[in-house]
Amino acid sequence: MTAVTIDELQPSRMARVIGDSITIAKRNIIKIRRVPDVLIFSTLSPIMFVLLFAYIFGSAISVQGSSYREFLIAGIFAQTSVFGATFTGTSLAEDMQRGIIDRFRSLPMAPSAVLIGRTVADVVINVVSLVVMSVTGLIIGWRVHGSALDTVQAYVLLLLFAYAISWIMATVGLLVRTPEVFNNASFMVIFPLTFIANTFVPSEVLPTPLRVVAQWNPVSAVTQATRELFGNTGTTNPLPDAWPLRHSVATTLIWVVAIMVIFVPLALRQFRRAVSR
């Protein structure tokens, strides 16, 4: 950690970082409100995935002991949480390109507040997407069989995971020069990450090499945890063999902590490098 980061951990500095982060978060939320296209398309995409997989692939895929639509929703939630995190990288790359980051640099504010405010604001997009997907899922026949507490835990777990992924996207967004490059780079990673998993089909039906990857995929862990908390695992499905899926909630939290520990310092360091060019 640099000296600046250490200073920011002091109580007075922490108060400043929190205040500046709230200000930046408000700025980004207001930007979403003034450019509603971002929010509209971020909510239409999940609806499209729900309807596409439920009505087209749902008739060809069967899940033992469970309805495919109930099996599907947790996977869509996990996928959309990862996709929603890309707004962080796209927005940072766009702000860098337009020189807005240089304006922030000239202000008397904590440098880390730019990234914290950005990632916190993007939680709002994920919340809206989850609400829209939940309503869409209920319309097509998805039902929650877990308790109210388990349901809340499932949504919190999804938001925590999305927030952690947003720091990866922030790092990538600061490394590239344009939003277009970021979009191409991120989707090359996101699609395999979300499809080589138990999001849309049980991992047991995948070929052995892909099954191993899926079982240890963090997206599979959060998907399995969400299914279990929603009570959508089915009544006759056997317990998964792989440790990450048997302890999916713990595995998801481990992944969240690991990602944050690695990528928060990397993003902050890259931000300082980017603004000093």
Side-chain angles (χ1 to χ4, degrees):
M1 297 176 72
T2 64
V4 176
T5 305
I6 292 174
D7 288 342
E8 288 176 0
L9 294 177
Q10 298 175 359
S12 59
R13 296 277 184 173
M14 282 294 294
R16 178 187 172 191
V17 170
I18 293 171
D20 292 344
S21 299
I22 292 173
T23 301
I24 296 296
K26 287 181 179 178
R27 173 254 180 188
N28 293 324
I29 292 172
I30 291 172
K31 181 182 176 181
I32 294 172
R33 189 176 64 188
R34 291 179 177 174
V35 188
D37 297 5
V38 174
L39 198 58
I40 291 172
F41 284 103
S42 67
T43 53
L44 287 178
S45 178
I47 294 175
M48 179 191 70
F49 273 109
V50 170
L51 298 179
L52 178 68
F53 280 89
Y55 287 105
I56 295 180
F57 297 116
S59 58
I61 301 173
S62 61
V63 179
Q64 182 181 358
S66 178
S67 158
Y68 179 71
R69 294 181 185 179
E70 292 193 348
F71 175 89
L72 168 70
I73 294 299
I76 296 289
F77 281 178
Q79 183 195 52
T80 304
S81 297
V82 174
F83 272 80
T86 61
F87 285 106
T88 300
T90 303
S91 299
L92 285 172
E94 185 178 306
D95 286 347
M96 291 288 295
Q97 186 182 49
R98 293 182 177 181
I100 295 175
I101 297 296
D102 292 331
R103 297 181 187 177
F104 289 151
R105 182 188 175 192
S106 65
L107 297 174
M109 61 184 296
S112 59
V114 176
L115 298 183
I116 297 173
R118 177 72 261 174
T119 53
V120 169
D122 289 337
V123 173
V124 175
I125 294 179
N126 278 304
V127 169
V128 174
S129 296
L130 287 175
V131 170
V132 171
M133 282 190 299
S134 298
V135 173
T136 306
L138 291 171
I139 291 174
I140 67 168
W142 170 64
R143 295 295 181 267
V144 175
H145 303 292
S147 66
L149 180 60
D150 286 344
T151 302
V152 172
Q153 289 177 346
Y155 284 116
V156 170
L157 207 61
L158 286 165
L159 292 175
L160 284 175
F161 186 76
Y163 185 72
I165 296 296
S166 68
W167 282 96
I168 300 178
M169 300 303 170
T171 304
V172 177
L174 292 168
L175 285 170
V176 301
R177 296 183 179 273
T178 65
E180 292 78 15
V181 174
F182 171 81
N183 288 332
N184 291 332
S186 62
F187 278 95
M188 287 178 64
V189 176
I190 287 176
F191 269 98
L193 188 67
T194 55
F195 279 88
I196 306 178
N198 62 354
T199 45
F200 305 115
V201 295
S203 57
E204 292 80 10
V205 304
L206 297 174
T208 301
L210 294 181
R211 182 169 67 249
V212 174
V213 173
Q215 289 171 342
W216 289 88
N217 187 338
V219 175
S220 292
V222 71
T223 300
Q224 181 68 19
T226 305
R227 282 197 185 108
E228 291 176 359
L229 291 170
F230 283 145
N232 295 149
T233 54
T235 56
T236 61
N237 279 343
L239 289 175
D241 294 329
W243 190 93
L245 300 184
R246 278 182 174 268
H247 307 86
S248 54
V249 175
T251 302
T252 301
L253 293 175
I254 290 171
W255 273 111
V256 168
V257 172
I259 291 170
M260 296 285 288
V261 167
I262 294 171
F263 283 95
V264 170
L266 283 178
L268 293 174
R269 184 181 303 174
Q270 184 58 36
F271 177 77
R272 292 187 178 90
R273 288 179 178 176
V275 297
S276 63
R277 291 172 185 169

